Amino acid sequence: MAGKARRSGAREFEYRRHGTQSVIAALNVATGKVHARCGETRTEKDFADFIDELLRAHLGYRVHHIVLDQLNTHKSEALVRGVARRCGIEEDRGVKGRSGILASMASRSAFLERADKAIGFHYTPKHASWMNQIEIWFNTTMAKPFKWTFQGKPLED
């Protein structure tokens, strides 16, 4: 494509995670309880599995309202499939990137936001992390000031 940088999809050869973990977390605003999981990756499958785990931990709830931000994994094929399965929805979901509910991120989001099922997703506006309750919880309970020690002196051999 003219005028666009080409992406290989692979990470740069120097990239190393050095043990970095990804955290997926949820805050039950009614109870204040945090449900979290750490792992090596943060894929759409990881997130869909987390939602399934979260729902299994709250089987007594008749309806689940899940508020989250606009991250692409929050509108994924795996999430749509999991929610449809849990809600007993058998309608044809289509083909990812081509047709039906799975056609696009917008169509997947519309399905997840539908009010006609026991699991409803509500998305915060883009660039509104200040509305995200789990991020607020992390910032108020986990954030610690970082003491910068760099003095701007050149490194010596």
Side-chain angles (χ1 to χ4, degrees), residues 10-78:
R11 291 186 176 148
E12 294 182 29
F13 72 94
E14 303 129 0
Y15 183 82
R16 301 277 190 280
R17 285 185 59 93
H18 299 290
T20 301
Q21 295 283 294
S22 293
V23 65
I24 302 173
L27 171 68
N28 184 327
V29 295
T31 66
K33 184 176 179 190
V34 173
H35 187 93
R37 135 197 303 201
C38 289
E40 298 288 326
T41 58
R42 190 192 68 189
T43 64
E44 74 174 67
K45 181 181 182 326
D46 294 330
F47 184 72
D49 289 348
F50 174 78
I51 292 296
D52 195 54
E53 179 183 301
L54 186 65
L55 295 171
R56 282 193 318 270
H58 297 89
L59 292 175
Y61 286 40
R62 191 174 47 81
V63 177
H64 300 271
H65 291 280
I66 301 171
V67 180
L68 22 65
D69 59 22
Q70 301 273 343
L71 188 64
N72 62 345
T73 57
H74 298 169
K75 301 175 180 185
S76 71
E77 175 184 15

Side-chain angles (χ1 to χ4, degrees), residues 110-129:
F111 168 77
L112 293 166
E113 290 178 280
R114 277 182 9 200
D116 66 341
K117 54 191 185 341
I119 305 167
F121 290 79
H122 310 276
Y123 297 96
T124 59
K126 289 183 181 180
H127 311 295
S129 61

Side-chain angles (χ1 to χ4, degrees), residues 146-151:
F146 180 79
K147 184 177 180 187
W148 189 256
T149 58
F150 179 71
Q151 297 176 357

Side-chain angles (χ1 to χ4, degrees), residues 50 84 109 141 154-155 157:
F50 174 78
S109 177
T141 62
L155 298 174
D157 292 327

